[in-house]
Amino acid sequence: MLNWILSQFKHQSAEDLERARELLKAAERGGAHVNLAQARELARALGVDVEANASAGQVIHAIRRYLGHRGER
């Protein structure tokens, strides 16, 4: 049972990391509008601290920095 619970956390992390990569790709393309609320939610899911009044650019930068530290980017 404990292994199943732990696997669910790992699965969620993998999904969040994939969402973060997709968000960064969309931001780099520039054509896609980044949903600020979703970006903030994703940052919280990853454990990235962002201010409540942070702009989309600041949130994306924080997520990019997080992925860079993890070696994911």
Side-chain angles (χ1 to χ4, degrees):
M1 178 83 165
L2 180 59
N3 286 335
W4 179 83
I5 293 170
L6 292 175
S7 72
Q8 296 305 305
F9 284 117
K10 289 179 185 177
H11 181 67
Q12 179 63 36
S13 283
E15 287 178 359
D16 291 340
L17 291 173
E18 184 58 34
R19 286 178 46 211
R21 287 186 212 104
E22 291 300 319
L23 176 72
L24 293 181
K25 286 178 191 174
E28 289 170 359
R29 285 191 299 264
H33 176 70
V34 175
N35 183 322
L36 182 56
Q38 288 178 349
R40 285 183 180 151
E41 176 188 328
L42 177 58
R44 281 192 301 273
L46 293 171
V48 176
D49 271 338
V50 292
E51 293 185 25
N53 61 350
S55 69
Q58 291 170 323
V59 174
I60 289 169
H61 179 71
I63 291 172
R64 182 177 286 123
R65 196 173 47 228
Y66 171 81
L67 290 178
H69 286 271
R70 286 185 49 95
E72 295 285 337
R73 189 119 158 75

